Structure formats: structure tokens, C-alpha cells
Amino acid sequence: MTSTTPPDVAARVEALIPRFRLTRLLNQDQAGRRISLLGTIDSQPGVLVAERAAFATDDDHLSSFSTSLIGIKNLGANDIYAWFLASTALDEDQPPDLKLNLIYPCTDKHVKKYSAQGLRVVTETPEIYAKYIRPYMQQQRVQGRLNWVFNIIEGRTEQEDVIYREHGEEGFLLLPDLNWDRKTIPSLHLLGLVERRDIWSVRDLKRSHITWIKHMRDKLLDSTVKIYPNLDKDQLKLYVHYQPTYYHFHIHIVHVALEAGNTQATGKALGLDNIISQLENLQGDDNAGMDDVSLTYHLGEASDIWEKIYLPLKEGGKVEI
């Protein structure tokens, strides 16, 4: 980035930074990527805000990116997924400054998910869900894309990470989400996985499940503040995704200070308490459920659901799942 500051002014202010003496940390936000520091320069108070710069995206830097990392430490591995901490610093004594996720071998679906793409807002009616979306979900489930979930549920992987667990037909477990670095509390992100396999998404929840959902909510909150005692329950928010990344019902538990990106945005995240309230106010008996309502959400233009279902519906073409 080219500076427009006159050279003499630039030299004067650049010389201030090495003279900054820390008094205390004021804040840490952007999921730990930005810090605000209070300090002094020549006995005068000053605030220094430091934010990690954007990654260089030229071919030379990207080609050498993976080989330039040091201190790579694995945090966990399950099926095709693995996650790590690593450092770009030359000093191995410096704390890691990168969180890495590796998907290997990946599929075309992963490539689409992580590619830059436009977004579209769609409204999924009960009819669209029953005729197109539910069969698509079934197709995805039989392709083995839930192996990593079943590895956890069946006790083959990540058992040392399980924070809380209840077994049985209405069993569930709590563990860190693979996108969390396991230490930065303001960016805390945990995952509640249900053991039962008949609930694929929020669409399968019915009035008859209300007591169970409330029990899960309470236990997930209790367990989180027990293992992280500096947290209070009202510092946590619980939500589910629709459409979810994978079709096995799960609940996200995050610190309320975690800055909302696309995964927490309206049109992607549904608050758990709002879902409970919606179920309680549905007309009908205990079989009334979330498959009876319309849901509006956004999709990437490269996603299968947009390309195979909503785009053909928009253009009056034939839907082929």
C-alpha cells in the first residue's frame, strides 16, 4: 500500500511505534484478530490498535505459503478433516498466529463452498421442501458425507474433546467446533451433536420435541459455563443453520461477542430460542412441526441447491436432483 503522507511526517510518526510502552490490553475483537492497547509514548498516553493485515494473494506468496509456516501443531483430525495452529513468525517461541483447517481429499462440494460466489435469497415453502429439498437431503446422507459425525457419536474419534454427553434415544454431546482455536474465549465456538439419526435439520423438529430441545439447551449452557467458569449463560447464544452444511441436527454455541459473519447472518442462522417459540405457537397437535412453515434463507450461486433446484424453478425449467 502506497502512503500519501509527506516523507518527513511519515518518518516522524513511524518512529513513535517502537517507543510505545504497554499499560494494559483494552480489547480483543474480530475473533482475536484485532487488539486495542493502552500505553504511553514519552510519558504521554496513547491507544494502539493492531489488526492482522490481509494475506498476500499474488502467485509467488501463495505458492510458498504452506512451506513458509513453522510450529505446525495438530488440534484434531476426523475422517477427511484436520485442524491446526501454526505460525508465520520466524521465532518458534512466538505464539501461533494462524488457525488452519485442512480438508483432504476434498470434493467438488467443498471447492464450491469455499469459493467466492454471489448470494441469492430464496423462500422454501413446505411444498418445495417435501418435493425437492427432502429428497436432496436424503441423497447427500447416503453418499457417506456424515462419516466424521458418526465417528464422533460412535466414539471412534475426538472423545477426549467431549465436554458433556448423554446417551440414549434423545442423547447428545458437546465438544469444540473445529473452527475454534480452543483458547480465545471471545471467539468461543462449541457444537452440540444429537445422537439420534432421524432428525436431519430444523425441518424435522416438531411440537413433540419441545421438552427435549429445552433440556438440550439447558444442559449445553450449564456444561459450557461449568468448563469455562469465567463465562455467564447470558454471554452465550445458541443457533442452528438452515441450510446446514451437513444433514445431521446440531446446535452451535458461541460467545455473544463473536462477530457475526456469514455463518451467523440473517438468512443462515436461526436462534434456538426463536425456534422453540415458533414450535410452541404452531397450530395443530404434537405432529405439527417446522416442515409446515416457509423458511427464507440465502444460498451461494455455486451451491447444489441453487443450481439444481432454485435456479430451474426460477427459470421455469425442470428440477433434476
Side-chain angles (χ1 to χ4, degrees):
M1 181 180 297
T2 302
S3 173
T4 59
T5 308
D8 58 328
V9 176
R12 177 175 60 81
V13 295
E14 287 170 1
L16 295 175
I17 300 299
R19 304 209 303 270
F20 183 88
R21 298 294 178 263
L22 176 68
T23 302
R24 62 185 171 90
L25 173 70
L26 293 176
N27 194 14
Q28 181 184 48
D29 54 6
Q30 293 278 41
R33 294 188 294 273
R34 184 170 60 204
I35 55 174
S36 301
L37 306 176
L38 175 65
T40 59
I41 299 175
D42 301 334
S43 301
Q44 295 296 312
V47 171
L48 178 63
V49 179
E51 184 172 350
R52 298 191 189 281
F55 288 101
T57 55
D58 59 278
D59 287 344
D60 287 343
H61 281 93
L62 293 180
S63 297
S64 61
F65 174 75
S66 61
T67 56
S68 68
L69 302 175
I70 65 172
I72 299 172
K73 180 182 178 181
N74 178 248
L75 294 175
N78 185 345
D79 196 49
I80 63 173
Y81 303 94
W83 45 104
F84 313 82
L85 291 178
S87 179
T88 56
L90 296 178
D91 184 358
E92 292 195 12
D93 293 331
Q94 292 293 319
D97 58 354
L98 288 181
K99 167 74 165 49
L100 307 175
N101 290 350
L102 175 65
I103 306 171
Y104 174 77
C106 70
T107 65
D108 289 341
K109 189 173 182 179
H110 292 116
V111 175
K112 289 182 177 180
K113 175 182 176 180
Y114 291 100
S115 297
Q117 57 186 295
L119 296 176
R120 300 284 181 156
V121 176
V122 300
T123 296
E124 181 180 297
T125 64
E127 293 74 25
I128 291 176
Y129 170 70
K131 188 173 182 179
Y132 303 116
I133 302 298
R134 183 72 178 187
Y136 172 80
M137 290 181 175
Q138 173 68 35
Q139 183 185 80
Q140 300 307 301
R141 284 176 61 89
V142 301
Q143 290 179 357
R145 291 176 177 168
L146 291 175
N147 288 342
W148 71 274
V149 176
F150 298 148
N151 285 342
I152 298 172
I153 294 172
E154 295 170 4
R156 291 191 290 270
T157 59
E158 298 186 54
Q159 297 311 291
E160 67 281 357
D161 293 328
V162 173
I163 297 168
Y164 180 81
R165 182 164 199 159
E166 289 188 12
H167 287 291
E169 181 182 351
E170 296 187 341
F172 58 92
L173 56 91
L174 174 68
L175 75 168
D177 185 270
L178 62 84
N179 289 308
W180 185 41
D181 65 7
R182 317 284 183 101
K183 63 177 183 178
T184 310
I185 295 300
S187 62
L188 178 137
H189 191 165
L190 308 179
L191 199 64
L193 284 174
V194 302
E195 288 192 345
R196 59 193 297 171
R197 304 190 185 190
D198 60 329
I199 300 184
W200 303 354
S201 76
V202 67
R203 282 294 200 182
D204 291 306
L205 297 180
K206 300 186 180 298
R207 286 176 55 90
S208 60
H209 295 131
I210 291 174
T211 300
W212 171 56
I213 300 170
K214 287 182 175 179
H215 173 72
M216 274 199 299
R217 176 196 61 191
D218 294 343
K219 289 297 184 181
L220 293 174
L221 288 171
D222 288 344
S223 301
T224 301
V225 298
K226 182 177 180 180
I227 195 167
Y228 303 109
N230 291 331
L231 283 174
D232 292 327
K233 292 180 183 179
D234 56 7
Q235 292 178 294
L236 300 168
K237 56 183 176 181
L238 281 64
Y239 62 87
V240 302
H241 284 147
Y242 197 80
Q243 287 278 327
T245 303
Y246 51 93
Y247 296 114
H248 182 94
F249 187 66
H250 54 284
I251 300 169
H252 296 266
I253 303 95
V254 302
H255 195 292
V256 71
L258 180 62
E259 297 188 25
N262 286 336
T263 62
Q264 294 186 56
T266 300
K268 179 66 175 178
L270 305 174
L272 187 64
D273 283 323
N274 291 336
I275 294 170
I276 293 171
S277 178
Q278 192 166 3
L279 288 170
E280 290 176 330
N281 288 283
L282 282 176
Q283 300 296 316
D285 59 18
D286 280 352
N287 288 320
M290 294 297 290
D291 56 346
D292 298 324
V293 303
S294 293
L295 294 176
T296 298
Y297 53 92
H298 65 244
L299 292 168
E301 291 177 338
S303 69
D304 283 348
I305 295 179
W306 172 255
E307 291 183 339
K308 295 181 178 180
I309 299 175
Y310 284 102
L311 182 58
L313 287 176
K314 178 182 179 179
E315 296 179 343
K318 182 180 180 181
V319 175
E320 295 183 359
I321 301 174

